Amino acid sequence: MASSNMRQEAIKSIATAKYQLNRVDFRNARMTNVFGMNVFSEEVQRARLPKPVFKALQRTIKHGEALDPNVADAVAVAMKDWAMEKGATHFTHQFQPMTGLTAEKHDSFLSPDGQGGAIAEFSGKELIKGEPDASSFPSGGIRATFEARGYTAWDPTSPAYIVENPNGATLVIPTAFLSWTGEALDKKTPLLRSMDALSQQAIRILKLFGKNEVKHVATTAGPEQEYFLIDKQFYYARPDLVHCGRTLFGAKPPKGQELEDQYFGTIPERVLACMSEVEYELSKLGVPVKTRHNEVAPSQYEIAPIFETSNLATDHQMLTMEVLRKTAEKYGLACLLHEKPFAGINGSGKHNNWSMSTDTGENLLNPGDTPHDNAQFLVFCVAVIRAVDKWADLLRVSVASAGNDHRLGANEAPPAIISIFLGDQLTDVIEQIEKGGAKSSKSGGLFETGISVLPKLPRDAGDRNRTSPFAFTGNKFEFRAVGSSFNIAGPNTVLNVIVAESLDYIATELEKAVKGGKTLNAAIQELLPKIIKEHKRIIFNGDNYTEEWHKEAEKRGLPNHRNTVDALGVITRKDIIDLCAKYKVYTERELHSRLHILAENYVKTINIEAQTMLMMGNRMILPAALRYQAEVAAAVNATKSAGVDNAAQAAILKELTVTLTEFQAALARLDKAVNHHAEGDAYQHARYMRDSVIPAMVETRKLGDALECLVADDLWPLPTYREMLFIK
Ligand code: ADP
Ligand code: MG
């Protein structure tokens, strides 16, 4: 009898563990006071800054005006005083390097005063610019070694905040990260650039509608985060979860998600306690968390905020992931943000709700109540349709990663084919506009922009078509192909730039027509049908899972990049380079660097997975199977010597031995594939990983999982799917 292994220890201890669940004093905490208490918010700024300084800062934040450097010193002093009153000893410029994570280096406020004492200092210069030693962040070739340093630049549109730890607090200043030659080394810079680009073009359209008072249009994002929570002890007993974020082995459990008893079900108490603390901590940081619920898969959950400008939403989303991970630990849980932690049940996404909103408070994707407002809504809506069709490739690549490949392109929603769900009513309107334009008929029934009132469009309750990668949901679009571990900056940057291009095109056409003497309505009535005709192939309201849709999409000529490697090639295509350069979102060099980094990232991810698989296969699964084989062999021998018929037991030994032998061979092939020196650049290397290493991994897993179903349960070292998903 083998002594108990880590897995058995884990189960025993989970069954008996007591957790301290009431860590937050909700009865006495006034949530309205808690919200934003650690944020250098507008309210704090107003209270602490001299009036002219406050006004100048607000102009930058709200209207995107350049910041007057003289203002910075005054802001820095106020920020430091506020932070120190809250116990902060250090400040950090936080940035979002292309690793997809966040990075920070802490500096103390204290400096020696030259007389043996110390003074607290924080200047405008330190607020505005930092120089982290950032030579080990990926730059994809942008930064030669002689200019290894990049610098961080304060982003005043995202407020500074304080992060507490058990022994102190740090003032965190959101920043952009650039090379000395001005190239973006991060994800925030392109996002800010893309927001500017969209604002400029949207304003041109609004001018045509007579809305001259609008000075700035911001894009908005509301990301719904899906994640798994499993017991930490199982997590630590699974090297694949620790190192890869997903299980590389694991046979199908007797119960999966087939009962559909989990979605919106009662949240387990330990999980609920954890969620509550997550929300409490996020509230302090000013993250407007709104909803929580059970998701479809067992042990899967979701947290969603109220939407904010894309920039703020991005920063808050990064915080949400961090707080989720940190807080889970305190409850003996591990938070899994990977797109596919478990095979055979749903993966996790991050639905990215997106819209555009004016500084006068108007949501540009909200159908209005008057014909005039409806016409405007339709112009913006059609601009999005055109953008998504024209640049579907780029949108696809913005959600490409090794992890997300297990969702997109696998048999799961949403598919890798980008299409738009509009719902029946809006589709009908769009079809009518198309016809109306074609025949320029004014006869009954046809919808005329600027003259007819839209039928009331139903607000999509979120579940009407969960299979679509890009859905109109009443007053916003929901991009559902984003992976759960993603920084949403990338997908939003792409959305913004492609819609900016579309708005530019439409504004140019309409301006021309109006200048030529047409009324705006006539110009719109002429232009929209043309655009719809050209781009309506992107609209699909049916079930995106089906084989028929895949065939139909191919017929329509919609791109289908089944995996990351297929998709990546798009980044440096001529039309993409031109698009990004025209709207000053990425330079050509920045795009090349991103291709390089994404390809490299793919290679590294697959490499780590393959190495982890070899380790687990050779040192955990193989030994367990060998021990069991010896046990069975001994039994077969014993029965044989006793002279009884042991054909059935011999059959077990045979099956086990055959599977074991095949498993060993698969491991050897995987070893050879992954330790083969690949030729060429990162992109070529990525292709090799996809074509040679991944198939070897798939084969190895199949046999490993077969062994799990053969080997005695008490010898099996790895927590099983059943245990990880259902023992809580
Ligand atoms: P559902 O998608 O289930 O219908 P909601 O419509 O309430 O749920 O919203 C889902 C997410 O979309 C939330 O994060 C919400 O804040 C966000 N959202 C709502 N309106 C907008 C908008 N104009 N721009 C961006 N996100 C939005
Ligand atoms: Mg939704």
Side-chain angles (χ1 to χ4, degrees):
M1 184 64 218
S3 63
S4 74
N5 59 29
M6 210 165 153
R7 164 181 167 238
Q8 288 147 340
E9 294 287 338
I11 297 171
K12 218 185 297 169
S13 129
I14 293 165
T16 53
K18 295 254 182 303
Y19 299 95
Q20 155 102 40
L21 296 186
N22 56 331
R23 297 172 33 91
V24 178
D25 183 5
F26 278 99
R27 279 179 204 88
N28 298 312
R30 298 269 295 275
M31 284 313 283
T32 43
N33 293 344
V34 169
F35 187 81
M37 66 181 260
N38 282 350
V39 182
F40 193 66
S41 61
E42 184 173 335
E43 200 184 318
V44 179
Q45 290 164 23
R46 189 194 315 272
R48 290 184 174 251
L49 292 173
K51 211 166 192 176
V53 173
F54 172 74
K55 282 200 169 142
L57 184 57
Q58 286 300 314
R59 279 199 300 275
T60 299
I61 294 170
K62 297 215 171 115
H63 307 300
E65 278 181 26
L67 187 85
D68 179 351
N70 295 326
V71 169
D73 268 322
V75 178
V77 170
M79 223 187 244
K80 179 204 71 191
D81 290 345
W82 171 79
M84 290 187 75
E85 281 166 34
K86 295 214 162 255
T89 53
H90 289 66
F91 69 93
T92 179
H93 274 203
Q94 189 192 58
F95 54 102
Q96 296 170 22
M98 290 186 273
T99 54
L101 307 168
T102 52
E104 52 192 45
K105 173 190 157 221
H106 297 192
D107 278 296
S108 170
F109 283 126
L110 289 190
S111 314
D113 64 2
Q115 287 148 29
I119 47 164
E121 272 183 335
F122 186 51
S123 66
K125 233 172 80 197
E126 286 171 298
L127 168 63
I128 288 185
K129 199 180 233 181
E131 287 179 40
D133 176 14
S135 45
S136 44
F137 289 105
S139 78
I142 280 183
R143 230 175 20 216
T145 32
F146 66 86
E147 43 160 8
R149 285 178 318 174
Y151 70 91
T152 51
W154 177 35
D155 166 20
T157 62
S158 181
Y161 55 91
I162 285 170
V163 169
E164 297 166 325
N165 71 63
N167 290 320
T170 306
L171 170 68
V172 182
I173 300 156
T175 63
F177 181 36
L178 299 120
S179 78
W180 284 104
T181 43
E183 275 145 329
L185 297 172
D186 68 347
K187 295 194 174 252
K188 175 175 271 215
T189 307
L191 176 65
L192 292 172
R193 293 173 181 164
S194 74
M195 289 175 76
D196 271 350
L198 185 134
S199 181
Q200 280 173 32
Q201 301 308 328
I203 282 175
R204 285 174 64 197
I205 304 268
L206 291 170
K207 275 221 164 71
L208 286 163
F209 280 93
K211 298 198 172 153
N212 294 311
E213 69 282 8
V214 175
K215 296 274 174 299
H216 186 71
V217 172
T219 53
T220 50
E224 305 167 51
Q225 172 78 51
E226 291 178 334
Y227 60 97
F228 282 85
L229 286 175
I230 64 163
D231 195 279
K232 194 159 81 171
Q233 306 195 51
F234 288 140
Y235 174 81
Y236 284 121
R238 299 273 325 201
D240 44 6
L241 284 180
V242 174
H243 299 300
C244 313
R246 74 179 183 99
T247 52
L248 301 169
F249 291 103
K252 201 172 163 333
K255 176 181 190 280
Q257 63 188 48
E258 57 277 81
L259 288 180
E260 295 173 345
D261 51 357
Q262 154 84 7
Y263 190 53
F264 281 8
T266 316
I267 302 171
E269 193 172 66
R270 175 153 61 122
V271 170
L272 187 56
C274 172
M275 283 176 171
S276 305
E277 185 169 337
V278 166
E279 290 161 10
Y280 183 77
E281 287 303 317
L282 287 173
S283 278
K284 287 203 267 183
L285 297 167
V287 181
V289 218
K290 183 76 176 167
T291 60
R292 58 180 174 213
H293 62 79
N294 273 7
E295 261 301 327
V296 175
S299 292
Q300 191 186 28
Y301 310 96
E302 182 183 296
I303 180 170
I306 293 171
F307 69 95
E308 301 175 281
T309 63
S310 310
N311 180 33
L312 205 52
T314 299
D315 290 359
H316 282 167
Q317 222 292 305
M318 299 305 281
L319 272 174
T320 302
M321 291 197 284
E322 192 185 317
V323 170
L324 271 171
R325 267 197 226 102
K326 265 204 248 172
T327 311
E329 281 270 324
K330 297 181 185 163
Y331 291 84
L333 297 165
C335 176
L336 309 179
L337 293 168
H338 191 281
E339 284 73 19
K340 194 75 178 178
F342 304 100
I345 57 172
N346 275 19
S348 300
K350 183 141 53 195
H351 292 179
N352 186 86
N353 295 273
W354 179 94
S355 189
M356 300 161 273
S357 165
T358 67
D359 54 0
T360 50
E362 187 182 359
N363 175 1
L364 296 174
L365 289 176
N366 203 6
D369 292 325
T370 64
H372 187 74
D373 283 348
N374 281 166
Q376 182 192 304
F377 159 74
L378 286 167
V379 166
F380 280 99
C381 190
V382 167
V384 177
I385 294 171
R386 177 184 175 280
V388 173
D389 182 46
K390 185 156 187 216
W391 306 104
D393 279 330
L394 187 56
L395 211 48
R396 169 65 183 89
V397 86
S398 79
V399 293
S401 77
N404 217 12
D405 278 358
H406 297 284
R407 294 172 68 227
L408 317 177
N411 279 329
E412 187 165 332
I417 306 165
I418 302 283
S419 67
I420 301 181
F421 169 83
L422 284 185
D424 295 340
Q425 299 234 29
L426 189 53
T427 304
D428 186 45
V429 170
I430 294 286
E431 277 168 2
Q432 285 188 55
I433 295 175
E434 186 199 349
K435 281 188 217 132
K439 295 188 231 123
S440 63
S441 147
K442 287 197 175 73
S443 62
L446 290 186
F447 187 89
E448 278 188 76
T449 57
I451 295 173
S452 335
V453 180
L454 274 182
K456 265 271 165 273
L457 299 176
R459 286 280 156 86
D460 188 321
D463 282 79
R464 285 210 317 160
N465 189 334
R466 290 171 63 93
T467 71
S468 175
F470 202 90
F472 182 73
T473 47
N475 58 1
K476 64 191 189 281
F477 280 96
E478 184 169 339
F479 187 22
R480 296 175 173 147
V482 183
S484 52
S485 71
F486 271 64
N487 179 330
I488 59 166
N492 282 293
T493 302
V494 167
L495 270 172
N496 296 349
V497 68
I498 66 178
V499 176
E501 187 274 342
S502 230
L503 293 171
D504 182 0
Y505 167 78
I506 292 175
T508 306
E509 293 294 309
L510 293 181
E511 282 163 1
K512 233 188 309 179
V514 169
K515 218 169 178 186
K518 281 214 173 76
T519 64
L520 179 62
N521 278 343
I524 293 173
Q525 194 69 19
E526 204 172 289
L527 179 63
L528 292 197
K530 268 199 275 185
I531 298 178
I532 293 168
K533 211 173 295 303
E534 199 178 331
H535 297 286
K536 69 174 176 191
R537 62 172 188 166
I538 197 76
I539 298 167
F540 177 64
N541 291 326
D543 184 350
N544 282 255
Y545 289 173
T546 58
E547 196 45 48
E548 294 86 78
W549 166 237
H550 286 232
K551 284 198 200 110
E552 164 74 15
E554 199 179 330
K555 233 188 287 160
R556 293 190 192 181
L558 299 179
N560 181 6
H561 302 286
R562 284 170 211 276
N563 53 63
T564 298
V565 181
D566 275 355
L568 285 185
V570 168
I571 299 180
T572 48
R573 215 170 60 192
K574 175 86 172 59
D575 58 330
I576 302 289
I577 292 176
D578 291 347
L579 167 80
C580 295
K582 180 167 181 195
Y583 298 98
K584 299 192 169 55
V585 171
Y586 295 108
T587 64
E588 180 168 355
R589 224 156 83 98
E590 286 170 349
L591 284 174
H592 277 283
S593 87
R594 272 146 187 87
L595 170 61
H596 182 85
I597 288 168
L598 288 169
E600 209 174 61
N601 194 287
Y602 180 87
V603 172
K604 285 180 186 162
T605 305
I606 306 297
N607 184 52
I608 293 170
E609 289 186 350
Q611 302 290 0
T612 306
M613 200 165 204
L614 285 171
M615 189 271 271
M616 293 170 73
N618 284 317
R619 293 169 45 205
M620 298 176 90
I621 297 179
L622 204 55
L626 286 170
R627 276 178 207 144
Y628 185 54
Q629 187 188 37
E631 268 185 29
V632 181
V636 168
N637 269 336
T639 42
K640 196 173 164 196
S641 356
V644 290
D645 176 16
N646 65 359
Q649 290 70 47
I652 299 180
L653 182 60
K654 187 158 174 222
E655 190 187 356
L656 182 64
T657 305
V658 168
T659 314
L660 191 48
T661 306
E662 282 177 16
F663 183 60
Q664 271 183 277
L667 283 170
R669 280 194 299 272
L670 176 59
D671 194 347
K672 196 161 157 222
V674 71
N675 291 316
H676 163 93
H677 175 74
E679 301 293 315
D681 63 8
Y683 192 32
Q684 259 173 290
H685 201 163
R687 243 181 247 129
Y688 171 81
M689 298 306 268
R690 178 194 61 188
D691 298 336
S692 305
V693 178
I694 291 183
M697 287 173 63
V698 170
E699 195 52 32
T700 307
R701 173 171 189 151
K702 220 168 73 198
L703 292 158
D705 291 356
L707 284 173
E708 184 182 329
C709 300
L710 292 172
V711 171
D713 185 73
D714 66 326
L715 292 176
W716 194 253
L718 295 165
T720 64
Y721 269 35
R722 181 187 69 78
E723 292 155 355
M724 288 186 285
L725 294 169
F726 295 100
I727 297 184
K728 1 188 160 185

